[in-house]
Amino acid sequence: PDGGACFETEDGGWLYVSNSEVRSDGGGVGVLSFNSAGEKIDAYSILENTTQNCAGGATPWGTWLSCEEFDRGQVFECDPYGRSPAKARPALGVFKHEAVAVDLRGDTLYLTEDLPDGGFYRFISEKGLPDLAAGRLEIASLGERDGRSYLSWHKIPDPEAFKVPTRNQVDSYASFNGGEGIAFHRGQVFFTTKGDNRVWCYETSSGEIDIIYDMQESETGILSGVDNLTITPSGDVLVAEDGGNMQIVAITPSHQIMPIIQVVGHDRSEICGPAINPSQDRLYFSSQRGETGSNDDGVIFEISRA
């Protein structure tokens, strides 16, 4: 398992959607279905025969965007309820995708790329969201003004990267070292870069970008191996560790760092897929390779409010 999210059902229950990061067309997306009492009542697949489905992102219109993490990877839009077949969305680019966040008011998606010299992208829908069939894919470059850092955006000429890798089509693009989890919250886009253990915050209105956590500059170094993330309704950024201490660590709006969960005995694994259910009384996450460290032994956990 890897990236995940929760979706509400009509009967007061919910779904937990979880990617399967398996190579060579062995990946996809599975769903666990819960009733209003929190009892698991079903499990089914909504995407199959894809490759290394790493993270992704939930949409406000009730779909799951599953990202393939390999050089020719795409984004697939999936129906968590299993009513419609999944669809590839090549307009979102062909590259080593990691995760997606949605700014509905801006008709914009933000995307990370898991490479040491990966780009930070945005997609602006041509007809407005939720239409993902066509639009403008852009990549960010970095500049400074009055001692602050800002992003500017440049159109990708060939989003499907037929001849040149997507990120290399714009010479001035800013490289981010191993882009990982991403989420949108109240006009801000939060994302992690695992290669340098940083958590970033991008202000969509001003274009300003800032580092809200840097392990090299942290006095405690509590958070390392930054990876998937989700955001609580109150604005706490919950960051899952790939390795490190196998923790989920909260970064509060005032930038306090607080570990809230630690999985013991899973030292060869990583924590992924953190997601809060619609009633906000359960947290889901996975240990990707479990206690054995085997790719066959992932474990999904649920923590419920007492």
Side-chain angles (χ1 to χ4, degrees):
D2 205 282
C6 287
F7 296 84
E8 189 172 10
T9 58
E10 293 179 354
D11 61 358
W14 58 89
L15 308 174
Y16 177 64
V17 172
S18 179
N19 279 349
S20 175
E21 191 180 6
V22 179
R23 300 176 184 272
S24 305
D25 299 328
V29 182
V31 178
L32 296 178
S33 178
F34 300 87
N35 63 19
S36 59
E39 300 165 328
K40 185 170 67 68
I41 58 174
D42 200 3
Y44 52 90
S45 174
I46 57 173
L47 178 66
E48 296 177 340
N49 303 318
T50 50
T51 297
Q52 288 183 252
N53 296 75
C54 196
T59 72
W61 54 92
T63 62
W64 168 250
L65 300 175
S66 181
C67 294
E68 290 184 306
E69 188 191 5
F70 74 105
D71 288 342
R72 296 296 301 170
Q74 296 195 71
V75 177
F76 290 82
E77 187 170 17
C78 308
D79 177 10
Y81 306 93
R83 297 170 297 202
S84 304
K87 295 180 180 179
R89 297 301 189 189
L92 301 184
V94 173
F95 55 86
K96 198 171 183 179
H97 283 276
E98 177 69 28
V100 184
V102 181
D103 174 7
L104 188 60
R105 289 187 177 181
D107 286 321
T108 302
L109 272 61
Y110 293 89
L111 308 98
T112 53
E113 182 175 27
D114 192 0
L115 286 169
D117 60 346
F120 180 43
Y121 301 86
R122 74 178 184 185
F123 171 82
I124 302 173
S125 173
E126 184 176 289
K127 297 182 179 180
L129 296 176
D131 191 301
L132 300 178
R136 187 171 71 253
L137 184 68
E138 301 176 330
I139 194 168
S141 63
L142 187 63
E144 290 192 5
R145 187 170 65 251
D146 300 325
R148 299 180 180 271
S149 297
Y150 293 85
L151 296 183
S152 57
W153 297 94
H154 309 272
K155 183 179 179 181
I156 299 289
D158 175 23
E160 297 189 52
F162 287 113
K163 293 183 179 180
V164 179
T166 314
R167 67 192 183 284
N168 293 335
Q169 294 177 35
V170 174
D171 291 339
S172 63
Y173 90 94
S175 63
F176 290 89
N177 191 351
E180 293 284 348
I182 190 170
F184 176 84
H185 182 73
R186 297 180 182 175
Q188 297 177 314
V189 179
F190 296 88
F191 66 98
T192 58
T193 48
K194 189 166 59 182
D196 50 16
N197 277 298
R198 288 175 170 176
V199 182
W200 303 74
C201 177
Y202 171 66
E203 296 275 354
T204 59
S205 59
S206 68
E208 185 177 352
I209 188 168
D210 192 19
I211 300 168
I212 64 169
Y213 177 80
D214 186 339
M215 192 184 76
Q216 297 299 321
E217 297 182 3
S218 170
E219 294 181 0
T220 63
I222 290 173
L223 175 59
S224 63
V226 298
D227 205 300
N228 289 178
L229 61 80
T230 193
I231 300 179
T232 70
S234 61
D236 295 325
V237 182
L238 306 186
V239 183
E241 290 187 327
D242 178 353
N245 294 316
M246 284 293 290
Q247 294 178 334
I248 294 178
V249 178
I251 303 176
T252 71
S254 61
H255 297 179
Q256 291 180 293
I257 309 297
M258 297 189 300
I260 60 171
I261 292 164
Q262 183 169 12
V263 178
V264 178
H266 292 229
D267 296 340
R268 295 171 60 194
S269 187
E270 65 180 86
I271 293 182
C272 47
I276 300 168
N277 74 331
S279 57
Q280 300 173 29
D281 60 4
R282 285 171 169 83
L283 173 66
Y284 295 91
F285 63 94
S286 298
S287 169
Q288 188 174 76
R289 291 176 290 277
E291 290 184 283
T292 67
S294 166
N295 284 328
D296 298 326
D297 293 328
V299 180
I300 295 175
F301 293 91
E302 175 193 77
I303 294 180
S304 58
R305 182 180 296 167

